[in-house]
PDB file of all heavy atoms in Angstrom:
ATOM      1  N   LYS U 134      28.267  12.217 -29.570  1.00  0.00           N
ATOM      2  CA  LYS U 134      27.474  13.274 -30.195  1.00  0.00           C
ATOM      3  C   LYS U 134      27.424  14.476 -29.277  1.00  0.00           C
ATOM      4  O   LYS U 134      27.645  14.340 -28.066  1.00  0.00           O
ATOM      5  CB  LYS U 134      26.058  12.801 -30.585  1.00  0.00           C
ATOM      6  CG  LYS U 134      25.268  12.250 -29.414  1.00  0.00           C
ATOM      7  CD  LYS U 134      23.837  12.044 -29.779  1.00  0.00           C
ATOM      8  CE  LYS U 134      23.050  13.314 -29.502  1.00  0.00           C
ATOM      9  NZ  LYS U 134      21.624  13.221 -29.760  1.00  0.00           N
ATOM     10  N   THR U 135      27.153  15.633 -29.852  1.00  0.00           N
ATOM     11  CA  THR U 135      27.043  16.801 -28.998  1.00  0.00           C
ATOM     12  C   THR U 135      25.668  16.797 -28.329  1.00  0.00           C
ATOM     13  O   THR U 135      24.711  16.251 -28.878  1.00  0.00           O
ATOM     14  CB  THR U 135      27.194  18.102 -29.841  1.00  0.00           C
ATOM     15  OG1 THR U 135      26.230  18.021 -30.922  1.00  0.00           O
ATOM     16  CG2 THR U 135      28.574  18.252 -30.415  1.00  0.00           C
ATOM     17  N   ALA U 136      25.644  17.417 -27.157  1.00  0.00           N
ATOM     18  CA  ALA U 136      24.356  17.472 -26.427  1.00  0.00           C
ATOM     19  C   ALA U 136      24.219  18.866 -25.770  1.00  0.00           C
ATOM     20  O   ALA U 136      25.260  19.524 -25.566  1.00  0.00           O
ATOM     21  CB  ALA U 136      24.333  16.380 -25.364  1.00  0.00           C
ATOM     22  N   PHE U 137      23.024  19.221 -25.428  1.00  0.00           N
ATOM     23  CA  PHE U 137      22.724  20.481 -24.742  1.00  0.00           C
ATOM     24  C   PHE U 137      23.439  21.645 -25.423  1.00  0.00           C
ATOM     25  O   PHE U 137      24.289  22.336 -24.846  1.00  0.00           O
ATOM     26  CB  PHE U 137      23.124  20.451 -23.265  1.00  0.00           C
ATOM     27  CG  PHE U 137      22.502  19.308 -22.494  1.00  0.00           C
ATOM     28  CD1 PHE U 137      23.252  18.314 -21.891  1.00  0.00           C
ATOM     29  CD2 PHE U 137      21.086  19.229 -22.410  1.00  0.00           C
ATOM     30  CE1 PHE U 137      22.634  17.269 -21.232  1.00  0.00           C
ATOM     31  CE2 PHE U 137      20.478  18.185 -21.756  1.00  0.00           C
ATOM     32  CZ  PHE U 137      21.267  17.223 -21.181  1.00  0.00           C
ATOM     33  N   SER U 138      23.113  21.864 -26.723  1.00  0.00           N
ATOM     34  CA  SER U 138      23.680  22.937 -27.545  1.00  0.00           C
ATOM     35  C   SER U 138      25.221  22.946 -27.437  1.00  0.00           C
ATOM     36  O   SER U 138      25.831  24.002 -27.184  1.00  0.00           O
ATOM     37  CB  SER U 138      23.207  24.335 -27.072  1.00  0.00           C
ATOM     38  OG  SER U 138      21.806  24.321 -27.029  1.00  0.00           O
ATOM     39  N   ASN U 139      25.841  21.813 -27.619  1.00  0.00           N
ATOM     40  CA  ASN U 139      27.291  21.686 -27.650  1.00  0.00           C
ATOM     41  C   ASN U 139      27.972  21.845 -26.251  1.00  0.00           C
ATOM     42  O   ASN U 139      29.178  22.023 -26.196  1.00  0.00           O
ATOM     43  CB  ASN U 139      27.986  22.696 -28.625  1.00  0.00           C
ATOM     44  CG  ASN U 139      27.747  22.274 -30.057  1.00  0.00           C
ATOM     45  OD1 ASN U 139      27.126  21.262 -30.285  1.00  0.00           O
ATOM     46  ND2 ASN U 139      28.165  23.075 -30.967  1.00  0.00           N
ATOM     47  N   LYS U 140      27.147  21.944 -25.209  1.00  0.00           N
ATOM     48  CA  LYS U 140      27.750  22.127 -23.891  1.00  0.00           C
ATOM     49  C   LYS U 140      28.399  20.830 -23.360  1.00  0.00           C
ATOM     50  O   LYS U 140      29.253  20.821 -22.517  1.00  0.00           O
ATOM     51  CB  LYS U 140      26.685  22.592 -22.874  1.00  0.00           C
ATOM     52  CG  LYS U 140      26.894  24.075 -22.523  1.00  0.00           C
ATOM     53  CD  LYS U 140      26.055  24.408 -21.324  1.00  0.00           C
ATOM     54  CE  LYS U 140      24.770  24.976 -21.783  1.00  0.00           C
ATOM     55  NZ  LYS U 140      23.740  25.217 -20.768  1.00  0.00           N
ATOM     56  N   ALA U 141      27.895  19.711 -23.861  1.00  0.00           N
ATOM     57  CA  ALA U 141      28.393  18.421 -23.402  1.00  0.00           C
ATOM     58  C   ALA U 141      28.542  17.507 -24.546  1.00  0.00           C
ATOM     59  O   ALA U 141      27.972  17.684 -25.652  1.00  0.00           O
ATOM     60  CB  ALA U 141      27.377  17.844 -22.387  1.00  0.00           C
ATOM     61  N   ILE U 142      29.305  16.449 -24.334  1.00  0.00           N
ATOM     62  CA  ILE U 142      29.472  15.390 -25.360  1.00  0.00           C
ATOM     63  C   ILE U 142      28.850  14.135 -24.743  1.00  0.00           C
ATOM     64  O   ILE U 142      29.167  13.736 -23.608  1.00  0.00           O
ATOM     65  CB  ILE U 142      30.919  15.151 -25.691  1.00  0.00           C
ATOM     66  CG1 ILE U 142      31.474  16.342 -26.463  1.00  0.00           C
ATOM     67  CG2 ILE U 142      31.100  13.860 -26.543  1.00  0.00           C
ATOM     68  CD1 ILE U 142      32.904  16.308 -26.759  1.00  0.00           C
ATOM     69  N   ALA U 143      27.847  13.583 -25.431  1.00  0.00           N
ATOM     70  CA  ALA U 143      27.180  12.376 -24.947  1.00  0.00           C
ATOM     71  C   ALA U 143      27.706  11.141 -25.704  1.00  0.00           C
ATOM     72  O   ALA U 143      27.988  11.230 -26.878  1.00  0.00           O
ATOM     73  CB  ALA U 143      25.700  12.497 -25.179  1.00  0.00           C
ATOM     74  N   THR U 144      27.846  10.046 -24.969  1.00  0.00           N
ATOM     75  CA  THR U 144      28.187   8.794 -25.650  1.00  0.00           C
ATOM     76  C   THR U 144      26.929   7.979 -25.650  1.00  0.00           C
ATOM     77  O   THR U 144      26.384   7.699 -24.619  1.00  0.00           O
ATOM     78  CB  THR U 144      29.316   8.037 -24.863  1.00  0.00           C
ATOM     79  OG1 THR U 144      30.440   8.944 -24.808  1.00  0.00           O
ATOM     80  CG2 THR U 144      29.735   6.811 -25.605  1.00  0.00           C
ATOM     81  N   GLU U 145      26.472   7.669 -26.825  1.00  0.00           N
ATOM     82  CA  GLU U 145      25.165   7.001 -26.973  1.00  0.00           C
ATOM     83  C   GLU U 145      25.367   5.592 -27.486  1.00  0.00           C
ATOM     84  O   GLU U 145      26.231   5.327 -28.335  1.00  0.00           O
ATOM     85  CB  GLU U 145      24.272   7.731 -27.983  1.00  0.00           C
ATOM     86  CG  GLU U 145      23.541   8.866 -27.353  1.00  0.00           C
ATOM     87  CD  GLU U 145      22.409   9.430 -28.238  1.00  0.00           C
ATOM     88  OE1 GLU U 145      22.297   8.961 -29.399  1.00  0.00           O
ATOM     89  OE2 GLU U 145      21.682  10.277 -27.755  1.00  0.00           O
ATOM     90  N   GLU U 146      24.538   4.682 -27.012  1.00  0.00           N
ATOM     91  CA  GLU U 146      24.580   3.328 -27.557  1.00  0.00           C
ATOM     92  C   GLU U 146      23.421   3.185 -28.541  1.00  0.00           C
ATOM     93  O   GLU U 146      22.306   3.584 -28.262  1.00  0.00           O
ATOM     94  CB  GLU U 146      24.428   2.319 -26.410  1.00  0.00           C
ATOM     95  CG  GLU U 146      24.680   0.914 -26.871  1.00  0.00           C
ATOM     96  CD  GLU U 146      24.710  -0.052 -25.682  1.00  0.00           C
ATOM     97  OE1 GLU U 146      25.528   0.157 -24.776  1.00  0.00           O
ATOM     98  OE2 GLU U 146      23.896  -1.025 -25.735  1.00  0.00           O
ATOM     99  N   LEU U 147      23.770   2.704 -29.735  1.00  0.00           N
ATOM    100  CA  LEU U 147      22.753   2.535 -30.738  1.00  0.00           C
ATOM    101  C   LEU U 147      22.507   1.034 -30.898  1.00  0.00           C
ATOM    102  O   LEU U 147      23.372   0.288 -31.323  1.00  0.00           O
ATOM    103  CB  LEU U 147      23.249   3.084 -32.124  1.00  0.00           C
ATOM    104  CG  LEU U 147      23.758   4.514 -32.120  1.00  0.00           C
ATOM    105  CD1 LEU U 147      24.365   4.866 -33.495  1.00  0.00           C
ATOM    106  CD2 LEU U 147      22.667   5.475 -31.815  1.00  0.00           C
ATOM    107  N   THR U 148      21.364   0.600 -30.437  1.00  0.00           N
ATOM    108  CA  THR U 148      21.070  -0.803 -30.537  1.00  0.00           C
ATOM    109  C   THR U 148      20.251  -1.139 -31.750  1.00  0.00           C
ATOM    110  O   THR U 148      19.741  -0.242 -32.408  1.00  0.00           O
ATOM    111  CB  THR U 148      20.347  -1.281 -29.230  1.00  0.00           C
ATOM    112  OG1 THR U 148      19.237  -0.452 -29.066  1.00  0.00           O
ATOM    113  CG2 THR U 148      21.225  -1.196 -28.011  1.00  0.00           C
ATOM    114  N   GLY U 149      20.137  -2.429 -32.022  1.00  0.00           N
ATOM    115  CA  GLY U 149      19.356  -2.825 -33.231  1.00  0.00           C
ATOM    116  C   GLY U 149      20.278  -2.980 -34.423  1.00  0.00           C
ATOM    117  O   GLY U 149      21.490  -2.646 -34.353  1.00  0.00           O
ATOM    118  N   SER U 150      19.718  -3.376 -35.539  1.00  0.00           N
ATOM    119  CA  SER U 150      20.581  -3.675 -36.677  1.00  0.00           C
ATOM    120  C   SER U 150      20.697  -2.491 -37.628  1.00  0.00           C
ATOM    121  O   SER U 150      21.437  -2.527 -38.573  1.00  0.00           O
ATOM    122  CB  SER U 150      20.045  -4.934 -37.405  1.00  0.00           C
ATOM    123  OG  SER U 150      18.707  -4.630 -37.853  1.00  0.00           O
ATOM    124  N   LYS U 151      19.901  -1.436 -37.399  1.00  0.00           N
ATOM    125  CA  LYS U 151      19.927  -0.297 -38.312  1.00  0.00           C
ATOM    126  C   LYS U 151      20.104   1.014 -37.565  1.00  0.00           C
ATOM    127  O   LYS U 151      19.646   1.120 -36.439  1.00  0.00           O
ATOM    128  CB  LYS U 151      18.633  -0.181 -39.095  1.00  0.00           C
ATOM    129  CG  LYS U 151      18.462  -1.300 -40.130  1.00  0.00           C
ATOM    130  CD  LYS U 151      17.222  -1.011 -40.939  1.00  0.00           C
ATOM    131  CE  LYS U 151      16.621  -2.268 -41.462  1.00  0.00           C
ATOM    132  NZ  LYS U 151      15.191  -2.226 -41.496  1.00  0.00           N
ATOM    133  N   ARG U 152      20.811   1.962 -38.203  1.00  0.00           N
ATOM    134  CA  ARG U 152      20.978   3.230 -37.558  1.00  0.00           C
ATOM    135  C   ARG U 152      21.122   4.387 -38.590  1.00  0.00           C
ATOM    136  O   ARG U 152      21.560   4.100 -39.720  1.00  0.00           O
ATOM    137  CB  ARG U 152      22.201   3.214 -36.581  1.00  0.00           C
ATOM    138  CG  ARG U 152      23.567   3.225 -37.177  1.00  0.00           C
ATOM    139  CD  ARG U 152      24.274   1.948 -37.445  1.00  0.00           C
ATOM    140  NE  ARG U 152      23.913   0.747 -36.779  1.00  0.00           N
ATOM    141  CZ  ARG U 152      24.162  -0.470 -37.287  1.00  0.00           C
ATOM    142  NH1 ARG U 152      24.750  -0.569 -38.474  1.00  0.00           N
ATOM    143  NH2 ARG U 152      23.842  -1.545 -36.672  1.00  0.00           N
ATOM    144  N   VAL U 153      20.704   5.532 -38.135  1.00  0.00           N
ATOM    145  CA  VAL U 153      20.844   6.739 -38.950  1.00  0.00           C
ATOM    146  C   VAL U 153      21.789   7.653 -38.225  1.00  0.00           C
ATOM    147  O   VAL U 153      21.624   7.952 -37.022  1.00  0.00           O
ATOM    148  CB  VAL U 153      19.495   7.431 -39.157  1.00  0.00           C
ATOM    149  CG1 VAL U 153      19.660   8.770 -39.861  1.00  0.00           C
ATOM    150  CG2 VAL U 153      18.501   6.532 -39.952  1.00  0.00           C
ATOM    151  N   ILE U 154      22.893   8.079 -38.880  1.00  0.00           N
ATOM    152  CA  ILE U 154      23.870   8.974 -38.251  1.00  0.00           C
ATOM    153  C   ILE U 154      23.910  10.280 -38.982  1.00  0.00           C
ATOM    154  O   ILE U 154      24.185  10.331 -40.207  1.00  0.00           O
ATOM    155  CB  ILE U 154      25.252   8.306 -38.306  1.00  0.00           C
ATOM    156  CG1 ILE U 154      25.236   6.912 -37.586  1.00  0.00           C
ATOM    157  CG2 ILE U 154      26.287   9.214 -37.631  1.00  0.00           C
ATOM    158  CD1 ILE U 154      26.538   6.157 -37.662  1.00  0.00           C
ATOM    159  N   ALA U 155      23.573  11.344 -38.271  1.00  0.00           N
ATOM    160  CA  ALA U 155      23.649  12.707 -38.802  1.00  0.00           C
ATOM    161  C   ALA U 155      24.913  13.323 -38.288  1.00  0.00           C
ATOM    162  O   ALA U 155      25.056  13.574 -37.087  1.00  0.00           O
ATOM    163  CB  ALA U 155      22.429  13.526 -38.471  1.00  0.00           C
ATOM    164  N   LEU U 156      25.883  13.569 -39.155  1.00  0.00           N
ATOM    165  CA  LEU U 156      27.238  13.996 -38.830  1.00  0.00           C
ATOM    166  C   LEU U 156      27.375  15.490 -38.669  1.00  0.00           C
ATOM    167  O   LEU U 156      26.982  16.256 -39.581  1.00  0.00           O
ATOM    168  CB  LEU U 156      28.224  13.496 -39.907  1.00  0.00           C
ATOM    169  CG  LEU U 156      29.684  13.817 -39.732  1.00  0.00           C
ATOM    170  CD1 LEU U 156      30.272  13.034 -38.540  1.00  0.00           C
ATOM    171  CD2 LEU U 156      30.436  13.532 -41.020  1.00  0.00           C
ATOM    172  N   THR U 157      27.860  15.921 -37.517  1.00  0.00           N
ATOM    173  CA  THR U 157      28.079  17.374 -37.298  1.00  0.00           C
ATOM    174  C   THR U 157      29.089  17.913 -38.340  1.00  0.00           C
ATOM    175  O   THR U 157      30.130  17.356 -38.500  1.00  0.00           O
ATOM    176  CB  THR U 157      28.618  17.621 -35.909  1.00  0.00           C
ATOM    177  OG1 THR U 157      27.642  17.244 -34.940  1.00  0.00           O
ATOM    178  CG2 THR U 157      28.943  19.084 -35.628  1.00  0.00           C
ATOM    179  N   PRO U 158      28.708  19.009 -39.044  1.00  0.00           N
ATOM    180  CA  PRO U 158      29.641  19.598 -40.022  1.00  0.00           C
ATOM    181  C   PRO U 158      30.971  19.983 -39.360  1.00  0.00           C
ATOM    182  O   PRO U 158      30.954  20.366 -38.157  1.00  0.00           O
ATOM    183  CB  PRO U 158      28.920  20.804 -40.565  1.00  0.00           C
ATOM    184  CG  PRO U 158      27.455  20.520 -40.359  1.00  0.00           C
ATOM    185  CD  PRO U 158      27.420  19.724 -39.102  1.00  0.00           C
ATOM    186  N   ASN U 159      32.029  19.879 -40.084  1.00  0.00           N
ATOM    187  CA  ASN U 159      33.419  20.180 -39.616  1.00  0.00           C
ATOM    188  C   ASN U 159      33.950  19.233 -38.524  1.00  0.00           C
ATOM    189  O   ASN U 159      34.887  19.623 -37.817  1.00  0.00           O
ATOM    190  CB  ASN U 159      33.460  21.647 -39.064  1.00  0.00           C
ATOM    191  CG  ASN U 159      33.276  22.667 -40.166  1.00  0.00           C
ATOM    192  OD1 ASN U 159      33.670  22.406 -41.306  1.00  0.00           O
ATOM    193  ND2 ASN U 159      32.625  23.778 -39.834  1.00  0.00           N
ATOM    194  N   SER U 160      33.281  18.103 -38.323  1.00  0.00           N
ATOM    195  CA  SER U 160      33.815  17.195 -37.286  1.00  0.00           C
ATOM    196  C   SER U 160      34.599  15.997 -37.897  1.00  0.00           C
ATOM    197  O   SER U 160      35.133  15.208 -37.181  1.00  0.00           O
ATOM    198  CB  SER U 160      32.710  16.693 -36.367  1.00  0.00           C
ATOM    199  OG  SER U 160      31.818  15.931 -37.144  1.00  0.00           O
ATOM    200  N   PHE U 161      34.602  15.927 -39.219  1.00  0.00           N
ATOM    201  CA  PHE U 161      35.269  14.804 -39.861  1.00  0.00           C
ATOM    202  C   PHE U 161      35.849  15.292 -41.171  1.00  0.00           C
ATOM    203  O   PHE U 161      35.123  15.821 -42.013  1.00  0.00           O
ATOM    204  CB  PHE U 161      34.248  13.634 -40.115  1.00  0.00           C
ATOM    205  CG  PHE U 161      34.937  12.292 -40.394  1.00  0.00           C
ATOM    206  CD1 PHE U 161      35.289  11.499 -39.334  1.00  0.00           C
ATOM    207  CD2 PHE U 161      35.187  11.896 -41.660  1.00  0.00           C
ATOM    208  CE1 PHE U 161      35.902  10.252 -39.558  1.00  0.00           C
ATOM    209  CE2 PHE U 161      35.793  10.683 -41.911  1.00  0.00           C
ATOM    210  CZ  PHE U 161      36.150   9.831 -40.862  1.00  0.00           C
TER     211      PHE U 161
END
Side-chain angles (χ1 to χ4, degrees):
K134 55 169 272 183
T135 54
F137 305 118
S138 308
N139 288 356
K140 250 192 267 172
I142 292 174
T144 303
E145 277 194 352
E146 190 172 302
L147 307 174
T148 53
S150 60
K151 288 188 208 144
R152 73 269 338 157
V153 173
I154 302 176
L156 180 69
T157 297
N159 294 326
S160 64
F161 198 85

